[in-house]
Amino acid sequence: MRFSRSLIPTLKEEPVDAQVVSHRLMLRAGMIRSLGAGIYTWLPLGLRVLRKVEKIVRQEMDRAGAQEVLMPAVQPGELWQESGRWEQYGKELLRFVDRHERQFCFGPTHEEVIADLVRREIRSYRQLPANFYQIQTKFRDEIRPRFGIMRGREFLMKDAYSFDLDVTGLDVSYQTMYAAYQRIFQRCGLAFRAVEADTGSIGGASSHEFHVLAESGEDVIVSCDQCDYAANLEKAVAGEGATHDTEPLLSLQRSATPGQKSIEAVTRFLNITAQRLVKSILVEAAGQPLLLLLRGDRELNLIKAAAALGVPQVTLPDPERAARLANVAMGYLGPMNSHLPILADWELRTARNFACGANEEGWHLQHVNWERDVPTPTFVDLRNVEAGEPCPRCAGGHLLRHQGIEVGHVFKLGDKYSQAMGVRVLNDQGVEQTLIMGCYGIGVSRIVAATIEQHHDQKGILWPPALAPFHVEVLLLNPRDNAEGAAADALYQQLLAAGIEVLLDDRDERVGVKFKDADLLGCPWRVLVGGRSFKEGVVEIQSRDGTRLERVAIADAMEHIAGLVR
RNA sequence: CGGGGUGUAGCGCAGCCUGGUAGCGCAUCGGCUUUGGGAGCCGAGGGCCGGAGGUUCGAAUCCUCUCGCCCCGACCA
C-alpha cells in the first residue's frame, strides 16, 4: 500500500477525549474514527489489524472442528420471548419495531438464533457433536460506553455454540474450545491468563474467562504464585487464614462512639484493629432487606452474595433508604437484636470477642461472641480476596491480584436454552433427548485494543508480528530524488511480489514526519531508503522495538527483509 | 439512570462574566526556500458559534427548553 494514496489520517496532537492508551493510539494512528458514543468506523489501517485477528480466530475455530455460519444481526423478539430473555435482558438489549409493529432486537448474542436453527435442522444423535460459530457485529446498549474500542456498544465478536447429547460430550467440546482459545491468544502474541469465572446471568455450570494482562484492564483477576489456580475476583476464594479461636471469651461491653461512623473512625476511637471490627452491610435481595457481616478490612462481593442467596442480583440501597430499612442511623448497624435476616462471611465463623455496631446511634459493642450474644448465623463466602492470602488449592502458595482485559469467555450452558426452546434429537434408543449446549465468545475488536494496551511505548504501537497491519514499512526519505524514488519503488514491488505486506511511505513529507508516523503505526520493521545510506548503496533496516539495526546492500534488501519477516 | 463537565473552521482552543466587524495554533490550498526526527517565509480558502424559542435596536455572549459528546458510580466480549 502506498501511504500517499491511503487514508491514514495520523494525528500529531493527543486526542483529549481518549482516556486509555489504546483509544488514543488508535485515533492517532488513524485506525478508527468515532461516529457516536461507542460506535466507530474502522479505517483501512485498523481494518487490516481486525482482519488479522479474524483470520487467526477463523483458522483455529476451523481447526477445532467448528463450522462457520453467519446469523442475522436483527432478530425477532418472539425468539427472545421464547427463551425468557426478552424480559430478563434489560436495557442493554436494543429493541425496535418494524413497519408492521413487530418487535425486533439487534443481537447482543445469538443463543436463541442458533438454538432455533439446530432444533429445525438437527434431528439425530448421529449429527452430533456439532459446533457452529460466526464472526459478527454485535450491539449491546452499554450503560456507559468508554475507552474506545475496548468497551464500545457496537463491536465485532466471534461466538460459537456447541451441541452435545450429554454432559460428557459437553466436557469434550468445552476442552476443545479451551485449547483453541489458548492457541488463538498465543498466536496473537498476547500475554494472557485463563481464569475461573462466575457464570453470571447466562447461568450454567462452569466457565472460564481469558484475560489479556494489562494495567488498564477493568477486571481484577487473582492467581496463585505456586500452582495454576487463577480466577476472576468475582469468583476467587482464599485458603484458610490464621484464626484466633483460642482466645478466652470476654464479657460483652457497650462503648459510646459518638459521631464515629466509618471503619477507620471507629477503630481509631476504640483503639482496635479493623480485623476485630465486624461491619454490617444492609443489602436488598429480591426486594428483601438483610444484613451481611464482614470483617472490617474486607470488601463485599455482591456477586458472591447473590450466588449465596440464590437471587439474580443483590443491591446496595442508598444511605437514606438503608437507614429507614434498618431502623438505625448508618454507621451503627449490627447483628445483635437486629430484626433483619443475617448472613455472615465465612471468615467470621471463628471470630471471637469482636466489635460491631449496637443498632443504636452513637454506640458500638465490644467483645461480642456468637451464640452467647448473637445467634450463630449462616457463614458463606461473601468477600473479595486480597493479595497475599493463601491459595485455596495448594499448600504454600499465595494469591496475586492483576488487572486484566477480558477477551474471551467459555461457558458450559447445559440445557437452559435447549430446554426452553425444545432443542431435541432422537438418541440411539429412538428416544427424544434434549441437547446440552456450550457457548464460547471472543471479543475480536477488543483484542485489537487489548493488544495495544499490552504492546506500546511512548512513541506509539509495537505490533506483535502476527497482528501488524504491515510486516514492514518502507520510508522513502526524499521523494523528489528520482534515483531514491526508483529504488524505493523497486524494493516495494519486490516485497509485494514476495508476498510481504508492505507500506511504502512515499508522501512528500519531511523525514521527521515519516519517522514519527512510523513509530506511531508500529510496524515491526522499518526500512529507510534514501539519504546518506543510499549514497553508500545500502538501505537501513530497523526493528520497531529498537533492538536491531542493519545496513544491507540495496540489491540484497528484499531477500534480507523476507528472512526477517518469516 | 443519578452526579459533574462541555459544544465556536477538519483538529485543539480563546472570545461569553461586562451584548456591538468571530479570533489563535495546527491542518488544508498556491508560491519560494528547506530536507536523517513533527521546517521557514509570503499569500489564500474555510464558520447557520450544537438546535429551537425568548429578551434586546442588536445575541457566540443573557434567559428557557432541547440534543450530542466526555468524565465519575451499578454490566459485559
Side-chain angles (χ1 to χ4, degrees):
Chain A
M1 213 157 107
R2 289 174 184 275
F3 208 136
S4 65
R5 303 302 309 151
S6 310
L7 181 63
I8 307 175
T10 57
L11 301 174
K12 190 154 52 173
E13 292 175 26
E14 286 289 325
V16 153
D17 286 341
Q19 306 298 312
V20 294
V21 169
S22 59
H23 190 195
R24 281 205 300 275
L25 289 177
M26 289 179 85
L27 289 168
R28 286 194 58 208
M31 294 174 65
I32 54 166
R33 285 296 183 262
S34 157
L35 185 62
I39 50 181
Y40 292 86
T41 297
W42 289 79
L43 304 185
L45 197 76
L47 185 59
R48 289 183 71 96
V49 179
L50 192 64
R51 293 289 183 239
K52 295 221 167 169
V53 178
E54 271 185 49
K55 188 174 174 186
I56 291 171
V57 169
R58 197 169 263 126
Q59 285 175 350
E60 294 301 332
M61 293 304 289
D62 290 344
R63 183 210 294 265
Q67 303 177 68
E68 186 168 8
V69 296
L70 183 58
M71 292 180 263
V74 172
Q75 307 178 14
E78 284 173 11
L79 271 183
W80 286 70
Q81 278 153 3
E82 200 177 338
S83 71
R85 285 208 288 186
W86 189 255
E87 283 74 31
Q88 281 172 26
Y89 215 90
K91 289 189 173 178
E92 213 170 276
L93 183 63
L94 176 63
R95 300 157 211 246
F96 42 86
V97 293
D98 70 4
R99 63 168 69 192
H100 307 295
E101 299 289 312
R102 294 169 63 103
Q103 307 250 43
F104 285 88
C105 62
F106 196 108
T109 178
H110 280 69
E111 281 84 3
E112 282 81 2
V113 180
I114 196 70
D116 181 63
L117 179 77
V118 169
R119 71 180 167 185
R120 290 168 191 273
E121 306 302 334
I122 293 192
R123 317 293 330 162
S124 160
Y125 74 97
R126 296 182 194 213
Q127 292 168 279
L128 299 177
N131 188 332
F132 301 98
Y133 79 97
Q134 65 173 346
I135 294 176
Q136 211 231 25
T137 298
K138 302 277 199 262
F139 193 95
R140 293 182 190 171
D141 201 354
E142 289 279 341
I143 298 163
R144 188 147 89 87
R146 61 185 137 171
F147 303 151
I149 292 299
M150 285 257 275
R151 186 191 287 271
R153 292 193 293 173
E154 187 177 297
F155 58 100
L156 193 65
M157 178 174 170
K158 186 285 302 178
D159 48 329
Y161 306 90
S162 68
F163 295 85
D164 286 280
L165 206 54
D166 51 34
V167 291
T168 316
L170 172 61
D171 289 344
V172 174
S173 296
Y174 187 87
Q175 279 312 316
T176 304
M177 282 295 109
Y178 188 99
Y181 275 36
Q182 290 192 301
R183 291 187 57 93
I184 287 168
F185 300 121
Q186 266 156 20
R187 283 185 61 187
C188 287
L190 294 166
F192 69 98
R193 188 101 201 204
V195 305
E196 296 173 19
D198 183 71
T199 47
S201 55
I202 303 181
S206 145
S207 165
H208 286 82
E209 290 170 352
F210 289 78
H211 286 261
V212 168
L213 302 176
E215 285 183 10
S216 58
E218 291 185 86
D219 290 308
V220 177
I221 58 177
V222 172
S223 65
C224 174
D225 61 2
Q226 303 274 314
C227 72
D228 63 0
Y229 176 72
N232 190 304
L233 183 64
E234 294 168 355
K235 166 106 179 175
V237 293
E240 297 292 321
T243 59
H244 41 79
D245 54 5
T246 51
E247 246 179 46
L249 299 191
L250 303 175
S251 54
L252 184 67
Q253 180 186 329
R254 248 167 72 90
S255 304
T257 50
Q260 311 297 315
K261 296 183 177 181
S262 66
I263 296 290
E264 303 83 70
V266 174
T267 52
R268 204 176 326 112
F269 193 82
L270 296 178
N271 194 25
I272 56 174
T273 63
Q275 285 97 308
R276 237 335 121 165
L277 181 59
V278 167
K279 64 179 165 190
S280 308
I281 301 174
L282 188 137
V283 299
E284 286 182 281
Q288 293 300 311
L290 73 155
L291 278 191
L292 301 182
L293 306 186
L294 250 70
R295 227 170 75 175
D297 57 339
R298 299 304 192 189
E299 275 170 18
L300 173 62
N301 182 322
L302 287 172
I303 291 168
K304 288 182 177 177
L309 291 162
V311 297
Q313 208 186 12
V314 170
T315 54
L316 283 168
D318 61 66
E320 295 95 79
R321 183 176 167 78
R324 190 150 30 87
L325 291 168
N327 226 348
V328 58
M330 283 296 96
Y332 298 100
L333 275 181
M336 207 168 142
N337 302 321
S338 175
H339 63 288
L340 297 163
I342 293 173
L343 204 56
D345 183 62
W346 179 248
E347 193 176 38
L348 293 178
R349 77 201 179 288
T350 56
R352 284 198 170 199
N353 301 326
F354 57 85
C356 60
N359 279 327
E360 186 181 341
E361 185 160 6
W363 291 88
H364 275 77
L365 300 172
Q366 293 196 77
H367 311 146
V368 179
N369 285 288
W370 300 128
E371 215 51 50
R372 187 191 71 184
D373 309 314
V374 179
T376 305
T378 305
F379 296 103
V380 292
D381 184 31
L382 288 176
R383 67 182 182 88
N384 288 335
V385 305
E386 305 288 342
E389 288 197 68
C391 174
R393 293 280 163 83
C394 72
H398 293 274
L399 298 178
L400 305 169
R401 279 169 69 145
H402 322 259
Q403 305 295 115
I405 301 166
E406 187 187 355
V407 290
H409 202 160
V410 294
F411 250 99
K412 291 184 185 175
L413 280 180
D415 65 357
K416 173 170 172 164
Y417 296 93
S418 48
Q419 185 76 54
M421 299 189 60
V423 185
R424 293 185 290 270
V425 299
L426 290 183
N427 65 16
D428 59 357
Q429 308 295 307
V431 178
E432 280 205 324
Q433 196 169 327
T434 298
L435 295 187
I436 305 297
M437 291 175 65
C439 78
Y440 318 92
I442 287 183
V444 175
S445 45
R446 183 181 279 182
I447 285 177
V448 177
T451 303
I452 296 171
E453 291 295 330
Q454 204 174 68
H455 299 276
H456 68 272
D457 64 14
Q458 294 293 349
K459 297 175 179 174
I461 305 167
L462 284 87
W463 287 111
L467 301 188
F470 296 93
H471 299 131
V472 53
E473 178 171 351
V474 174
L475 305 196
L476 170 53
L477 297 187
N478 303 311
R480 295 181 186 180
D481 182 302
N482 290 334
E484 291 185 13
D489 216 68
L491 178 57
Y492 173 64
Q493 297 296 347
Q494 287 172 21
L495 290 167
L496 281 183
I500 292 167
E501 298 173 52
V502 54
L503 176 66
L504 174 64
D505 191 348
D506 56 345
R507 293 175 298 170
D508 187 10
E509 290 285 355
R510 301 169 67 84
V511 292
V513 173
K514 297 191 179 190
F515 284 138
K516 294 288 186 194
D517 277 349
D519 290 338
L520 188 57
L521 302 196
C523 297
W525 296 98
R526 171 192 308 179
V527 179
L528 307 188
V529 178
R532 54 184 184 236
S533 55
F534 185 76
K535 293 189 181 65
E536 299 162 20
V538 301
V539 297
E540 291 169 48
I541 302 172
Q542 309 170 336
S543 64
R544 170 61 178 85
D545 62 12
T547 58
R548 300 195 49 186
L549 195 164
E550 302 178 17
R551 294 160 58 83
V552 177
I554 295 175
D556 303 332
M558 189 280 279
E559 285 298 332
H560 196 86
I561 294 163
L564 292 171
V565 166
R566 307 232 178 278

